[in-house]
Amino acid sequence: MNLSSLLAARHAAGKPVRVALIGAGKFGSMFLSQVPHTPGLEVPVIVDLDPDRAREACRTVGWDQDLIAATTFTADGARAVTGHIDVVVEATGNPAVGIKHARAAIANGKHLVMVNVEADVLAGPLLAEEARKAGVVYSLAYGDQPALTAEMVDWARATGFHVVAAGKGTKYLPAYHDVTPAGVWGHYGLSANEAQSAGMNPQMFNSFLDGTKSAIEMAAIANATGLDVPSGGLLFPPCGVDDLPHVMRPHARGGVLERSGVVEVVSSLERDGRPVFRDLRWGVYVVLEAPNDYAADCFRQYGLKTDASGRYAAMYKPYHLIGLELNISVLSAALRKEATGQPHGFRGDVVAVAKRGLRAGEMLDGEGGYTVWGKLMPAAASLKAGGLPIGLAHRVKLKHDVAHGAVVRWDDVEVDANNDTVRTRRAMEERFGGGR
């Protein structure tokens, strides 16, 4: 709770925290909007495939011409990891590119904030270990739900509570797993023309709807906190904030969880499509258990919502502000040398599952596409099954037919074993052994 004072001291000393941003999309733009209002924070380098678009994004979010003129806009990722840069922010969303940028930043002694959760879930435990050995910080991105959830888990444990469940809310129905970009906008209440005029990417938005993004984020939380992953995948139970202590507790105690200590996503829709009362669609939560009768009495005395036993309670944050909150990660890394969440093990994995019957010779189109969605699995189970990570299920050709709803396996696709991303993933699997 002293980041602002630490930054003020750096600013007064004429030693600003200098950040290189890679990827000036929505998340990056939200971060950039806060930069002019944060004395002591500078972004001298912005890397984007389209530097002119990145420059225009800065204008859109309120940068004046002097600030834009003082900034280097480039498509060259190497510019982000050289020179006097304290923190690199990787916000491309491309797992292969993210891994490449992460390793370059670490090799050059730069702290890294990994907005790119896709890259984190594909190889984050290995990258974080490499960063620790190099004496730099590898961090999840505050403002995104994994880091916010990890913070709540840390709070609960640091105050002596057992964490029963943690995760986020989202809009979910079982049928969403098979939705493709062609049909996504109806579920958001938009027409295709409205979405196109707003510059909205149908595949990206579909990854949020079809369950893939939820799976990726829960894997990131599990790997960062040591919480377990449900053996059969996410349940997405309908649940509002008042019912978290009742619903998100083990079966043996009347809830839906197979056991205590897991990640899970709650749906803002009942299974018949009705809205859940006081839903948590935009937020995160942690369910905790009182360690003794005295603590349970305190829950009641201070008005905390509990289950009928009084032993299970929930804390939640109803909203997350994405890139508007990213400064917390940047400043924690630069000023405290602390991560706002980072993977320490390989407990959760996300594998590709067929959205329809797929035929040999077809090309997979990755996260949010027409062919596959991402399912959360325990890492050990994923490795035993040979499941293909969703982060590698893009532009690869099927060798075998895959039935609708079946897991796509490494053996089902043509894989270049010499590809850098594949090699990094295989090294991560070998090093961390499936979460054991």
Side-chain angles (χ1 to χ4, degrees):
M1 289 182 279
N2 62 347
L3 286 177
S4 60
S5 60
L6 290 173
L7 183 61
R10 283 281 293 260
H11 180 55
K15 297 178 180 180
V17 174
R18 292 166 61 87
V19 180
L21 172 66
I22 307 177
K26 180 62 173 177
F27 198 113
S29 294
M30 294 177 80
F31 165 62
L32 292 171
S33 74
Q34 300 303 99
V35 172
H37 310 289
T38 313
L41 180 68
E42 296 181 358
V43 183
V45 178
I46 299 176
V47 178
D48 196 89
L49 291 175
D50 186 344
D52 289 336
R53 183 189 68 173
R55 189 178 286 107
E56 184 58 33
C58 288
R59 293 191 186 97
T60 299
V61 301
W63 283 30
D64 63 31
Q65 192 54 44
D66 289 343
L67 188 53
I68 291 173
T71 303
T72 298
F73 295 87
T74 177
D76 181 6
R79 298 289 295 275
V81 299
T82 56
H84 180 41
I85 294 294
D86 297 297
V87 182
V88 175
V89 174
E90 214 299 334
T92 64
N94 182 310
V97 171
I99 291 170
K100 179 181 177 181
H101 289 153
R103 284 193 145 153
I106 292 165
N108 283 274
K110 313 300 182 186
H111 302 306
L112 178 75
V113 175
M114 184 62 95
V115 178
N116 189 335
V117 193
E118 292 79 4
D120 178 77
V121 169
L122 191 62
L126 185 67
L127 299 175
E129 182 177 72
E130 292 175 356
R132 289 191 291 270
K133 289 179 178 178
V136 295
V137 174
Y138 174 103
S139 179
L140 298 179
Y142 202 90
D144 228 351
Q145 286 164 309
L148 297 180
T149 305
E151 178 186 50
M152 296 192 79
V153 170
D154 184 66
W155 165 83
R157 288 172 172 166
T159 49
F161 294 112
H162 172 68
V163 174
V164 177
K168 69 165 197 169
T170 196
K171 180 181 179 182
Y172 170 85
L173 289 174
Y176 289 170
H177 290 310
D178 292 339
V179 175
T180 71
V184 67
W185 297 128
H187 297 288
Y188 284 99
L190 298 170
S191 69
N193 288 337
E194 288 171 333
Q196 184 177 15
S197 66
M200 299 166 71
N201 182 316
Q203 187 157 345
M204 182 189 73
F205 275 82
N206 197 46
S207 72
F208 285 93
L209 189 75
D210 70 9
T212 302
K213 190 69 75 173
S214 289
I216 289 171
E217 292 182 336
M218 292 305 104
I221 294 167
N223 293 340
T225 64
L227 291 171
D228 288 329
V229 167
S231 61
L234 292 170
L235 298 173
F236 296 97
C239 184
V241 295
D242 296 330
D243 293 325
L244 285 167
H246 300 272
V247 175
M248 306 307 293
R249 55 183 177 166
H251 279 305
R253 295 290 184 266
V256 301
L257 307 178
E258 60 183 326
R259 60 185 179 279
S260 186
V262 299
V263 296
E264 187 55 82
V265 177
V266 295
S267 176
S268 64
L269 295 178
E270 302 286 355
R271 288 296 190 257
D272 61 5
R274 290 178 297 115
V276 164
F277 178 66
R278 283 175 44 83
D279 68 78
L280 193 65
R281 179 178 177 182
W282 308 108
V284 298
Y285 76 91
V286 61
V287 172
L288 44 95
E289 182 180 3
N292 50 51
D293 290 339
Y294 184 84
D297 286 342
C298 291
F299 287 171
R300 176 180 52 80
Q301 292 161 4
Y302 287 89
L304 195 60
K305 293 282 189 180
T306 68
D307 73 332
S309 75
R311 300 301 291 256
Y312 294 90
M315 296 291 280
Y316 62 91
K317 191 171 187 175
Y319 302 104
H320 66 298
L321 297 179
I322 327 292
L324 298 180
E325 298 182 82
L326 187 64
N327 282 2
I328 301 300
S329 288
V330 169
L331 299 180
S332 291
L335 303 176
R336 289 179 175 162
K337 308 299 186 290
E338 290 183 358
T340 51
Q342 67 172 222
H344 290 273
F346 182 35
R347 304 187 68 84
D349 198 13
V350 183
V351 300
V353 174
K355 287 188 172 182
R356 55 176 172 79
L358 303 174
R359 301 299 180 195
E362 285 193 69
M363 296 290 289
L364 301 184
D365 58 354
E367 179 185 352
Y370 289 83
T371 56
V372 291
W373 61 278
K375 179 179 180 178
L376 181 66
M377 291 181 66
S382 168
L383 295 187
K384 183 177 180 180
L388 180 70
I390 190 69
L392 295 176
H394 186 63
R395 295 180 182 172
V396 292
K397 184 181 290 187
L398 284 172
K399 296 190 297 183
H400 308 129
D401 294 350
V402 180
H404 178 206
V407 170
V408 181
R409 306 177 193 280
W410 284 91
D411 291 344
D412 292 324
V413 298
E414 296 178 0
V415 176
D416 178 4
N418 293 317
N419 176 277
D420 285 344
T421 310
V422 172
R423 291 171 62 186
T424 301
R425 167 65 187 209
R426 288 304 202 189
M428 193 273 287
E429 294 177 351
E430 178 67 24
R431 170 68 183 86
F432 289 90
R436 294 187 179 89

